[in-house]
């Protein structure tokens, strides 16, 4: 069962939260972070992307960059820009996008739960990306950014969320991207005890977003345990890492779409003809078409939008991976017709999160940069959890969660 605990969060004072809070480290490059942090010494980018404090072009993996992260983290605390709570809390973190709000519980998740697969994943991780985040956790001795979990709905936790969020939030602001962020501190000892007990009834937590950060945090925790040797007890802070866990029903996965640079030597008409074997095709002309159900796709090629519906029998609906639209499109379109077999490394393909809209797909095809665009119907949370439960791994670029968690609202230290 899931083992979680409250923790003494390191947080900005209320009046500084909008200056400190930032987007996650992995959704923007160094120059974008440099631009967003310009004129703001309190921006968390100075800790999570500290290469911005060096000359442009500095490698973000330069040893000096990690040293700077430590220096800046310490300076933020000495300056009072980040202050540690004097007692252990859980927290509620809510996000609002397009009038819809999702509520998560901020927890310290357990390293052994990840190692023993009670925290379940649906994506592969790359060792180089794990090692980068491990270095950051090692040197700062903190989980500066949270990972994004889901859990099966729990009525008692839902009621706690409802009761706590009826009160005044500690933080309540709208970020520059227009998304709202709301944050409550849970002080009540009985609620804290109940949260811990209710999570113990939940068999598995699921990584929604942040597989590399989760792996890195857990691996550093395991390192600390080994380093402690006989002195390791199991209840030290390094046995836990920072996560925001959302009831699954609160979450909505949005589409993750594909762009391809060429049609593998085919004309647009020849490409459409090749698709007829596996798909029912409808021409929607210049009117943007959005997929409306599983196994229905939107294709933009040659200045026209098309609906593609996979023919029955052309996919395995008994296989949790084979039935995914990302698998159907990867096998029947990208591999069989366009010759793209490795989504991770093939330079002919690019991926665009649905947050940018289908207009972005049209723009990049019309510009001549890309030859075609393919939009997919989003994966459901039920599908994600079912796949994680089987131990299977989703194909690359399957899920896109939005809004992203804002970094800097609360930090978990490994040595306090």
């Amino acid at each position: 069962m899931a083992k979680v605990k409250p923790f003494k969060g390191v947080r900005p004072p209320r009046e500084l939260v909008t200056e400190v809070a930032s987007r996650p480290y992995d959704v923007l490059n160094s120059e974008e972070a440099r631009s967003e942090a310009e004129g703001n010494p309190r921006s968390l980018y100075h800790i999570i992307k500290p290469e911005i404090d060096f000359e442009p072009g500095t490698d973000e993996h330069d040893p000096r960059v990690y040293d700077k992260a430590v220096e800046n983290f310490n300076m933020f605390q000495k300056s009072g820009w980040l202050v540690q709570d004097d007692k252990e809390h859980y927290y509620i973190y809510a996000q609002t996008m397009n009038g819809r709000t999702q509520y998560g519980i901020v927890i310290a998740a357990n390293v052994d739960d990840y190692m023993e697969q009670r925290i379940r994943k649906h994506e592969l991780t790359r060792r180089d990306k794990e090692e980068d985040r491990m270095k950051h956790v090692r040197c700062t001795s903190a989980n500066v950014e949270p990972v994004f979990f889901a859990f099966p709905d729990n009525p008692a936790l839902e009621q706690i969320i409802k009761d706590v969020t009826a009160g005044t939030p500690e933080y309540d602001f709208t970020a520059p991207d227009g998304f709202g962020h709301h944050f409550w501190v849970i002080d009540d000892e009985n609620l804290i005890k109940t949260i811990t007990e209710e999570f113990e009834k939940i068999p598995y937590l699921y990584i929604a977003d942040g597989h590399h950060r989760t792996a890195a945090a857990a691996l550093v925790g395991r390192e600390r345990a080994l380093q402690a040797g006989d002195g390791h007890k199991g209840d030290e802070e390094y046995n836990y890492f920072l996560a925001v866990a959302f009831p699954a029903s609160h979450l909505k996965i949005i589409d993750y779409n594909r762009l391809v640079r060429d049609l593998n030597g085919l004309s647009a008409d020849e490409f459409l003809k090749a698709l007829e074997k596996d798909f029912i095709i409808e021409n929607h002309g210049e009117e943007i078409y959005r997929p409306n159900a599983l196994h229905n796709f939107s294709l933009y090629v040659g200045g026209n939008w098309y609906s593609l519906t996979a023919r029955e029998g052309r996919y395995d609906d008994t296989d949790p991976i084979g039935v995914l639209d990302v698998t159907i499109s990867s096998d029947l379109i990208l591999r069989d017709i366009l010759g793209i077999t490795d989504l991770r490394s093939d330079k002919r393909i690019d991926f665009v999160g649905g947050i940018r809209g289908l207009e972005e797909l049209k723009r990049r095809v019309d510009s001549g940069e890309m030859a075609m665009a393919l939009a997919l119907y989003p994966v459901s949370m039920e599908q994600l959890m079912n796949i994680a439960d089987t131990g299977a791994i989703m194909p690359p670029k399957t899920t896109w969660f939005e809004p992203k968690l804002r970094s800097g609202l609360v930090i978990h230290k490994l040595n306090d």
Side-chain angles (χ1 to χ4, degrees), residues 119-380:
I119 295 173
R120 299 196 154 178
K121 60 186 180 181
H122 64 269
E123 289 182 4
L124 295 173
T125 55
R126 285 172 38 189
R127 184 60 188 175
D128 59 334
K129 295 184 71 173
E130 284 181 16
E131 184 59 33
D132 166 57
R133 286 302 93 186
M134 288 174 69
K135 288 178 180 177
H136 197 275
V137 176
R138 285 189 195 112
C139 71
T140 59
S141 198
N143 311 123
V144 178
E145 297 185 272
V147 295
F148 188 160
F149 285 173
F151 63 89
D153 286 17
N154 173 288
L157 292 176
E158 195 72 60
Q159 187 62 49
I160 289 173
I161 289 172
K162 183 177 179 180
D163 292 343
V164 171
T165 59
T168 303
E170 177 73 7
Y171 307 140
D172 192 4
F173 65 95
T174 300
D177 55 15
F179 299 156
H181 300 271
H182 330 282
F183 189 91
W184 292 261
V185 179
I186 300 179
D187 273 317
D188 186 284
E189 292 293 342
N190 288 326
L191 290 183
I192 290 172
K193 180 173 181 288
T194 300
I195 289 170
T196 303
E197 292 173 347
E198 289 300 319
F199 270 102
E200 287 175 353
K201 300 175 184 177
I202 295 172
Y204 304 109
L205 301 176
Y206 298 84
I207 304 170
D209 202 6
H211 281 75
H212 289 95
R213 272 170 283 173
T214 303
L219 289 168
V220 171
R222 179 57 59 88
E223 283 180 355
R224 292 284 179 96
L226 293 173
Q227 290 164 3
D230 292 340
H232 172 71
K233 296 182 295 181
D235 59 355
E236 301 90 347
E237 285 299 321
Y238 61 70
N239 295 288
Y240 295 86
F241 59 94
L242 180 62
V244 186
F246 292 83
S249 64
H250 286 223
L251 300 178
K252 183 179 180 181
I253 304 174
I254 64 175
D255 44 316
Y256 209 164
N257 302 318
R258 282 84 170 106
L259 286 156
V260 180
R261 297 186 187 282
D262 64 74
L263 299 180
N264 201 26
L266 302 175
S267 68
D269 287 342
E270 290 169 335
F271 175 57
L272 289 165
K273 186 67 176 176
L275 288 168
E276 290 180 356
K277 172 187 174 186
D278 299 312
F279 298 90
I280 300 167
I281 304 174
E282 298 175 14
N283 189 339
H284 287 259
E286 296 182 1
E287 181 181 353
I288 290 179
Y289 176 77
R290 180 176 298 279
N292 59 26
L294 289 173
H295 312 331
N296 179 242
F297 304 83
S298 170
L299 170 70
Y300 184 66
V301 65
N304 289 312
W305 290 89
Y306 298 86
S307 163
L308 308 181
T309 302
R311 298 182 186 275
E312 291 187 13
R314 300 305 298 149
Y315 53 88
D316 184 357
D317 55 10
T318 65
D319 177 359
I321 298 296
V323 76
L324 291 175
D325 285 349
V326 65
T327 304
I328 294 169
S329 59
S330 294
D331 290 351
L332 302 183
I333 302 175
L334 301 179
R335 182 194 67 196
D336 291 355
I337 300 176
L338 298 179
I340 296 172
T341 57
D342 187 348
L343 300 188
R344 294 182 182 276
S345 63
D346 198 310
K347 302 301 183 185
R348 295 169 58 212
I349 190 167
D350 196 11
F351 305 89
V352 177
I355 190 68
R356 300 177 69 175
L358 299 191
E359 293 81 4
E360 173 69 4
L361 303 182
K362 181 179 187 299
R363 183 192 69 78
R364 291 183 64 180
V365 173
D366 288 347
S367 72
E369 175 196 2
M370 297 291 181
M372 70 83 122
L374 191 68
L376 281 62
Y377 192 76
V379 172
S380 69

Side-chain angles (χ1 to χ4, degrees), residues 49-65:
K49 294 192 74 69
E51 68 272 14
I52 67 173
D53 291 340
F54 295 89
E55 60 276 7
T58 298
D59 184 352
E60 61 189 286
H61 304 114
D62 188 309
R64 297 176 302 155
V65 170

